[in-house]
Amino acid sequence: GQPGHAPPAGPLPPVRQGAPEPLPPFEQPLAPPPPEQLTEREREVLRLFAAGMTSQEIAQHFVVSINTVKTQLKSIYSKLDAHSRSEAVARARALGLLP
């Protein structure tokens, strides 16, 4: 070849993209995180609930409307990630919120 001349440029080999490293699976904590703290009133409602009182009876006990009790129950369900009265009571017991 002549000095100072580069060899003719052929087609470049394709750039090999390495496969991205798979991310490690998200570490799940063994224990569920502690629930949001229930208010004192929510714990009271839960205790009466566990004792078998109806929403109506709880409303009369606290001298509030049934809607107030229903709102408190929704909040309790949400904080305990429960979808029924029995599930809420079972979760509360498991978490030591109820005897």
Side-chain angles (χ1 to χ4, degrees):
Q2 297 182 337
H5 263 186
L12 290 172
V15 177
R16 224 183 100 76
Q17 290 287 348
E21 279 296 303
L23 292 171
F26 182 71
E27 295 285 326
Q28 285 289 345
L30 293 178
E36 250 185 281
Q37 286 299 303
L38 295 181
T39 65
E40 192 53 48
R41 175 54 63 94
E42 286 166 350
R43 285 205 294 270
E44 278 297 311
V45 168
L46 198 53
R47 272 196 283 275
L48 297 177
F49 224 36
M53 284 174 80
T54 66
S55 300
Q56 186 63 58
E57 289 167 336
I58 293 169
Q60 288 165 351
H61 176 86
F62 288 122
V63 196
V64 295
S65 81
I66 182 84
N67 288 329
T68 302
V69 174
K70 286 180 178 170
T71 300
Q72 288 166 335
L73 285 175
K74 265 194 221 135
S75 176
I76 291 168
Y77 284 3
S78 153
K79 289 179 181 181
L80 294 179
D81 192 26
H83 303 97
S84 68
R85 177 185 289 230
S86 56
E87 198 180 343
V89 169
R91 278 198 182 280
R93 287 206 168 105
L95 292 162
L97 301 175
L98 287 173

